[in-house]
Amino acid sequence: MKLRILSLALPCIIALAACNGSANKTTANTAMKDSITYGTLPPDSAFEKTIDGKQTHLYTLKNKAGMILTMTNYGGRVVNLLVPDSSGKMIDVSVGMAGVENYIKSTERYYGATIGRYGNRIAKGHFSLDGKQYTLATNNAPNTLHGGKKGYQDVVWDAKKLNDQTLELTYLSKDMEEGFPGNLHIKVTYTLTDDNSVKIDYDATTDKTTVVNLTNHAYFNLNGEGSGTILNHQVQFLADNYTPVDSTLIPTGKIEPVKGTPFDFTKPETIGARINDANEQLKNGKGYDHNFVLNKHDIKVPVALVKGDKTGIVMEIYTEEPGLQFYSGNFMQAKNIMKYGEKDDYRTAFAMETQHYPDSPNQPQFPSTVLKPGDTYKTQTIYKFKTK
Ligand code: GLA
């Protein structure tokens, strides 16, 4: 699908309720029966299901500028993110699925999800805390990825729509769930602000010392879902250093300068320009799948800028986290059908996960991910959209 223009779909976005029913019937190809006309929202009914005794739904947030964010409490996932391009057309920059069943069946587990208890990898599923050894499931052999076998992407969050622009998700991650100590009370608040930002506030407290590294795993394509690869997107990071990894994507422990490497995004560069260079790190990551060490992380300064070459949509990232995992969709294998009927082909989306560094529980030289009883884990990340 080339970039699909929304002139026809736009009235549907505005009159959501009226259009939801008919939108699903427009796709002739039965193999793609779950797909939806580009730019319209999936019907709420596609997100109604009881999982583990809890009800899932689709929640729609809208700001004054007309931007729309839909989320499901199944995995705390971003489903649609409709933002205006330079001509005012609405582009869905979130690569997501048409319904809760699609997410359940997907071979890729993390589409749009809120990730935890520990975002990214913990080496060999082991870490120790206060002299005690903890063992986790190694769901990404030989390591633990994104919280283990049943991470937060697969749980049903309790959701409360606080107003038209704010969704509050809460979850109690029980003591020893997936092997992590402590009852962790989590609150993640997604706000769609009037300056076209998605603001994410993470809060957590524990009753036993534990490790926490929460993030969001939205898959973006700033040219719109289904518009081809992201290789011509332009990227710039406020990062002079990154954490190189071994062949299993665990940081070696070193913090190395990006200068003179394909990891130097201190000036704008396309994702594709150097992705196939003969470089050991690119080989280990099968492309970009690395943590960038942010020079600053004080929320007022953008740490990343990404621009869609076809739409001119620019995404700025602001965060209080010290790291940014840039994943260039290297494991995408066209095995799943996304919401507008296109397959999730190789490198047709990217993720920018704000976080602490991977494997920090085993790397004392990295900023700490330990949370103690009485302390509050509190961090904010903002994805801001504009056109230039
Ligand atoms: C993160 C990881 C990647 C991959 C994706 C999801 O970005 O670093 O290796 O697991 O999540 O597939």
Side-chain angles (χ1 to χ4, degrees), residues 6 10 13 38 66-68 82-85 88-92:
L6 298 187
L10 202 55
I13 297 163
Y38 186 79
M67 189 171 150
I68 295 175
L82 288 154
V83 306
D85 73 1
K89 286 171 206 134
M90 300 301 277
I91 304 294
D92 192 345

Side-chain angles (χ1 to χ4, degrees), residues 108 110 120-121 145-146 217 219 249 289 325 327 331 353:
E108 160 58 46
Y110 308 110
N120 213 277
R121 291 174 180 78
L145 177 63
H146 296 327
H217 209 311
Y219 275 75
L249 287 166
D289 194 351
Q325 183 80 13
Y327 169 60
F331 297 123
E353 303 145 75

